[in-house]
Amino acid sequence: MFHFFRKDIEKRCAYCECGSVINDTEVVCSRRGIVNATEHCRRFRYDPLKRVPPRPAVLDENKHSAEEFSL
């Protein structure tokens, strides 16, 4: 199985090529029907285009001043 970026991506039906996401908690699997998005089966095939990476952290301007970033 080929993984993009990390090798330890957890198996989830939401990331499988056999599944289609219904909402945040449910997936329609072509093999098992409607299942929980966090489950997986032995037919799991990773589809990197279905995985949404986490959003990057946002720098809060109120906590830091411009002086902290100058040399």
Side-chain angles (χ1 to χ4, degrees):
M1 185 178 335
F2 182 73
H3 295 288
F4 287 97
F5 305 112
R6 298 186 331 202
K7 291 186 178 182
D8 59 342
I9 292 174
E10 59 185 311
K11 294 181 179 181
R12 291 182 169 208
C13 286
Y15 305 152
C16 182
E17 64 184 22
C18 297
S20 299
V21 176
I22 298 174
N23 57 32
D24 293 338
T25 60
E26 294 179 329
V27 173
V28 175
C29 179
S30 62
R31 301 188 182 275
R32 296 174 57 204
I34 298 175
V35 295
N36 192 351
T38 59
E39 295 180 6
H40 72 278
C41 65
R42 64 186 176 102
R43 301 249 186 209
F44 177 80
R45 293 281 180 205
Y46 179 66
D47 185 0
L49 299 178
K50 291 187 179 180
R51 184 172 166 266
V52 179
R55 297 188 61 106
V58 178
L59 179 63
D60 188 11
E61 295 178 14
N62 298 330
K63 290 185 179 181
H64 303 286
S65 65
E67 296 171 357
E68 294 179 12
F69 294 102
S70 63
L71 294 175

